[in-house]
Amino acid sequence: MLEARGVRKSFPRAGARGKAGPAERALDGVSAVFPTGELSVLLGPSGSGKSTLLRLFNRLLEPDEGVLLVDGADARGLDPVTLRRNTGYAIQGVGLFPHMSVAENIAVVPRLLGWDRDRIGRRVRELLEAVRLPASFASRRPRELSGGEAQRVGVARALAADPPVLLMDEPFGALDALTREALQVEFARIQGRLRKTVVFVTHDLAEAVLLADRLFILREGRLLRSGSPRELLAAAGDDFVADFLGARFGIEMLGRESAAAAAEYAGSGPAGGLIASAADLGGAAPLGPEASLRDALARMIAEGRTALPVEGPRGRGLLRIEAIALAGRAAAGAGGNDARR
Amino acid sequence: MSRGKEGDTAAAEARAASGAEATAGAPSTAEARAPAPDLRLLLPAAALFSGALAFLPALELRPNRVSAGAKAGLAAAAPAMTAALAAALGLVLVLALASAYAARVGASRAGRGRNGAARRSAERRRAGAALFFAAPLPALLLAGLGAGATSRLAGMAQGARASLGAGAWLGLAAALALPSALAPAFGAGAPKARRLAALTAAATAAILAAAGLLDDLSLAREFVARRASFGAEFPRHLAYALFPTLAAFVVAAPLGRAAARSRDWERPVFLVANAAQVIPTLALLGFLVAPLAALGRDVPFFRALGVRGVGWAPASLALFLYALLPVAANARAGFRMVDPAASDAANGMGMGAAGRFFRVELPLASPALVAGLRTALAQNMGNAVLAGLVGGGGLGGILFLGLSQAAADLILLAALGVAAAAYGTDRLLAAAERALARRTAAGAGAPC
């Protein structure tokens, strides 16, 4: 568990003629808890202090005031080098070392930790597989990689020594939309398996909603609101948060809701009797068990339908457009119907 | 396209005219087309070669080493060698023109794709034969000149000299340009062909010199007369270039890194480095004479070292100062090129300060560091001549002696030594730089 208590941090602003100007406040009394095994997303406009907060946790920055706790221990009491070697770190620029091969890049922290060669070799192969890169990439140079491939290596490098904590600063920010989405889904899958304690900085609402177990909305160095995406959808609780999340928030939420879970099945709903007869809906192809409500809505719009058959774990069901509209409410607090895992 | 090619041709001619670097250089843009000899360089070079030797005096025969003398053409002085040269040049022309014609015809037939591979290998053989005759041409010309000198000096007094005339110089320059004109026919192998031709010319000339065929040229006589002093001054010249430059590297490379990171360092470092660079050479030496003389006179430590207003001390100090700017500027550029994301990642992953420097920053900056060292060293190989001005010796001493005696061949001898030293070190360090850039894969465009 990571925790910030009353953290303040200012940076000297460069004034005229190279003299130090008035200090710029990046964090203004932030307290937050990032639970073990959860993916916490810091979301906010640029200048809101989210990267600053992240970089306090591996002591790349030191707070002016307040305390940072790593598993209950004051970060100031920990050796920064040891702390960093036990904390995965992935950044927007990736920062692969151009003079090292992919394998050497991934092996940096294990080597710093003094692992033996066989163990490092095994680990590199494991990680390349985990981020879905062919084993032959091990000997490539970073300049031979596409942006998406480089960031896959960046994620593998952050995971190399199997650190319990992962700090990620807009890791997918520089990628094109398609590659970004593929990596987000990939990373959600990896995180579903590894359950690291992740702090993830982004200003991309869709990414935040897709990945977050918990959202932390920051603005001008203050934490405005935190909670699960559903909690925030149900009650923004703040004009800025409502504005910032905006109308798109509900649409983005559909991306993580399972279509199969929102469908009606024979004998279970008020329309139970209709299901059997409506299930073929004039020959419409059924949605698969993996489909999200966003996929379902896209199909409905494309095909001009208000309902679609669903192939769910409980058999053939029927998904109506009303169920999509109500999904956010109905599901609030229900949990468990998350399309990601 | 055609403009670029003309530029390349002009550059090749300029290199040939300088005589020092006829064969190495930028790859020809002609490679983009069907590989063929570059006729726009070949024909003028061949014309220059034959014209210079036919109409200009190749040898100057003087009763002693400083007086003016009678001029002699190559054909008259060495008829047999002249015939051989003409035959070789004719063969080169015929083969090259045939190769160029075949390439042009082949290009128009390429659409039908008939026997492409066989035709290309035939063209390559023709171009290879042309290069085989062209490469030793400069050495052959030297042999002719040597033979001419021997036959003409036979009837003259003991101290008589045979110097190279205008025709000989232009002919040599044109002959050195020929392989550059033929090399494009080898496509991707052009740089290798040029290198091979240069090696052939140098090796043939060395064999001729060793066999004594060039002994009667005035240049060789000067060398023989000054062999002992040349043997002592050449290493001294190298030392003048090498040690102050290395000292400057040790001082300026860390300063360049500091300048890359903070403006507080950048300003004073480059103030000094730039100042040293812009002060004219002679003025800088002049500035150093008085303070160094005072130091050597009044401070026992410096007196014990042998520091005086003239001699090695001002020369070394001036060369040290000249090397500061290229080293510091390249170091600054090299360390600035290190990707900030890579430094941040290294930091965030728990590399210590030493690990970051030695495992990330230094490897990434090293091609630029070597580029700086190379620039400084090549520059100082030339600048070391100045040591001769303040009584420090080196090849400059020989050169200025030649100037004071108006002995053109002595000047030439010293200048050839300086040029060879500068060119050799530059090539050596360029190879090191390429090897490093390949390894780090980041230093593609290290500025100088």
Side-chain angles (χ1 to χ4, degrees):
Chain A
M1 187 182 73
L2 302 177
E3 185 177 355
R5 280 191 198 155
V7 170
R8 287 174 206 279
K9 174 76 185 170
S10 302
F11 293 108
R13 194 160 26 187
R17 292 171 186 280
K19 284 176 200 148
E24 188 171 299
R25 182 148 286 183
L27 288 175
D28 194 4
V30 170
S31 298
V33 174
F34 306 108
T36 303
E38 289 196 12
L39 196 157
S40 304
V41 170
L42 304 180
L43 181 65
S46 37
S48 57
K50 43 195 197 307
S51 287
T52 306
L53 182 56
L54 185 87
R55 291 162 70 89
L56 290 169
F57 279 109
N58 59 359
R59 296 192 63 186
L60 288 174
L61 296 172
E62 301 291 345
D64 300 336
E65 264 178 62
V67 184
L68 293 135
L69 300 172
V70 178
D71 286 328
D74 190 335
R76 270 173 302 191
L78 303 171
D79 170 43
V81 166
T82 313
L83 173 67
R84 288 171 197 161
R85 288 179 188 178
N86 289 303
T87 307
Y89 186 54
I91 53 177
Q92 177 172 0
V94 192
L96 293 184
F97 303 131
H99 57 301
M100 298 182 189
S101 69
V102 165
E104 288 166 335
N105 265 287
I106 295 176
V108 166
V109 177
R111 232 191 276 164
L112 289 171
L113 293 173
W115 292 15
D116 64 63
R117 287 173 63 98
D118 289 352
R119 191 175 167 203
I120 292 177
R122 268 200 310 279
R123 184 68 182 148
V124 167
R125 282 193 295 278
E126 241 171 67
L127 283 164
L128 283 175
E129 205 182 312
V131 297
R132 304 225 166 144
L133 287 175
S136 62
F137 270 51
S139 57
R140 291 215 185 168
R141 297 274 164 171
R143 69 180 159 157
E144 297 168 318
L145 306 178
S146 72
E149 290 163 352
Q151 192 51 276
R152 280 170 197 265
V153 176
V155 170
R157 185 172 68 171
L159 290 168
D162 204 14
V165 175
L166 216 51
L167 303 177
M168 308 182 83
D169 195 348
E170 303 200 29
F172 311 134
L175 305 175
D176 65 90
L178 276 178
T179 312
R180 183 164 59 221
E181 223 174 289
L183 258 88
Q184 287 162 355
V185 170
E186 204 70 44
F187 182 67
R189 186 183 57 81
I190 294 172
Q191 166 64 3
R193 196 156 50 86
L194 301 179
R195 309 234 46 115
K196 301 283 181 193
T197 305
V198 183
V199 183
F200 191 109
V201 165
T202 185
H203 58 249
D204 178 353
L205 182 64
E207 180 170 85
V209 171
L210 179 74
L211 294 176
D213 292 313
R214 215 168 265 272
L215 276 171
F216 295 78
I217 316 284
L218 282 95
R219 182 200 185 191
E220 291 176 357
R222 290 170 189 274
L223 178 62
L224 296 183
R225 188 91 169 77
S226 68
S228 74
R230 283 201 192 105
E231 285 164 12
L232 293 194
L233 180 63
D238 178 295
D239 283 349
F240 174 80
V241 175
D243 248 22
F244 184 71
L245 297 177
R248 264 179 55 224
F249 189 38
I251 304 274
E252 302 296 354
M253 281 292 291
L254 295 179
R256 51 185 288 164
E257 304 289 343
S258 157
E264 301 160 59
Y265 295 88
S268 71
L274 288 172
I275 306 294
S277 64
D280 64 312
L281 283 170
L287 290 159
E290 305 274 291
S292 71
L293 286 180
R294 189 161 57 175
D295 301 334
L297 185 61
R299 282 267 317 269
M300 288 178 183
I301 293 169
E303 297 172 18
R305 299 174 189 276
T306 57
L308 281 173
V310 178
E311 207 69 74
R314 286 185 283 156
R316 173 71 60 102
L318 180 73
L319 180 70
R320 298 163 185 280
I321 196 158
E322 292 87 347
I324 297 179
L326 295 174
R329 310 279 140 151
N337 56 345
D338 212 309
R340 293 183 304 148
R341 319 209 162 99
Chain B
M1 177 71 203
S2 88
R3 263 182 89 121
K5 201 164 156 230
E6 272 164 25
D8 190 50
T9 305
E13 274 166 351
R15 279 198 300 278
S18 83
E21 196 189 357
T23 51
S28 169
T29 49
E31 282 160 32
R33 305 178 179 181
D38 184 357
L39 294 185
R40 281 194 270 186
L41 175 56
L42 181 77
L43 297 178
L48 180 64
F49 183 80
S50 23
L53 291 173
F55 301 114
L56 292 172
L59 288 169
E60 198 174 341
L61 300 155
R62 296 177 302 194
N64 61 60
R65 62 191 278 262
V66 292
S67 65
K71 309 199 187 301
L74 185 67
M81 287 305 291
T82 309
L85 279 169
L89 182 68
L91 273 172
V92 169
L93 276 176
V94 168
L95 289 164
L97 287 172
S99 165
Y101 176 74
R104 185 160 300 180
V105 172
S108 70
R109 279 192 198 149
R112 282 174 256 161
R114 243 179 350 126
N115 292 333
R119 204 187 56 235
R120 268 194 298 281
S121 91
E123 274 166 38
R124 188 160 287 215
R125 268 201 304 278
R126 250 191 303 261
L131 192 65
F132 175 81
F133 289 110
L137 219 52
L140 221 55
L141 175 54
L142 278 180
L145 293 164
T150 307
S151 78
R152 282 308 166 102
L153 289 179
M156 294 174 75
Q158 188 69 47
R161 291 298 183 96
S163 300
L164 300 186
W169 289 120
L170 290 176
L172 277 173
L176 285 168
L178 283 177
S180 286
L182 295 172
F186 296 90
K192 199 183 275 182
R194 274 194 290 259
R195 222 169 303 144
L196 194 67
L199 276 177
T200 308
T204 320
I207 291 169
L208 293 174
L213 289 175
L214 308 181
D215 281 357
D216 288 317
L217 290 175
S218 179
L219 194 60
R221 291 221 175 145
E222 288 288 355
F223 178 69
V224 171
R226 307 260 166 199
R227 181 173 275 157
S229 102
F230 198 83
E233 298 302 344
F234 190 73
R236 184 174 297 169
H237 190 92
L238 292 183
Y240 270 131
L242 195 62
F243 293 116
T245 308
L246 287 180
F249 185 81
V250 170
V251 171
L255 288 175
R257 177 173 182 265
R261 319 196 113 206
S262 106
R263 289 197 70 81
D264 294 343
W265 278 98
E266 185 177 17
R267 211 174 282 240
V269 167
F270 281 90
L271 193 74
V272 173
N274 281 317
Q277 201 75 26
V278 297
I279 296 175
T281 319
L282 286 175
L284 183 58
L285 281 174
F287 287 138
L288 293 176
V289 167
L292 286 176
L295 273 182
R297 198 174 53 237
D298 301 335
V299 182
F301 172 73
F302 288 113
R303 187 165 44 223
L305 271 180
V307 170
R308 289 189 302 143
V310 294
W312 64 268
S316 302
L317 191 52
L319 293 170
F320 168 82
L321 290 172
Y322 274 122
L324 289 177
L325 182 64
V327 170
N330 275 278
R332 177 179 59 175
F335 284 107
R336 273 206 185 135
M337 278 191 306
V338 175
D339 181 4
S343 308
D344 185 26
N347 210 1
M349 289 193 301
M351 275 196 190
R356 268 199 320 275
F357 180 74
F358 286 108
R359 295 184 53 187
V360 178
E361 281 189 37
L362 194 60
L364 291 180
S366 60
L369 289 175
V370 175
L373 184 63
R374 173 186 162 202
T375 309
L377 200 55
Q379 187 180 302
N380 269 353
M381 278 292 168
N383 281 343
V385 168
L386 297 171
L389 268 186
V390 287
L395 289 175
I398 298 182
L399 193 138
F400 290 116
L401 181 69
L403 277 174
S404 69
Q405 298 180 343
D409 290 309
L410 188 55
I411 300 171
L412 184 64
L413 184 67
L416 280 176
V418 174
Y423 183 71
T425 41
D426 185 66
R427 289 294 96 194
L428 208 65
L429 282 169
E433 196 184 325
R434 273 197 303 275
L436 273 174
R438 252 200 309 280
R439 247 192 42 209
T440 65
C448 294

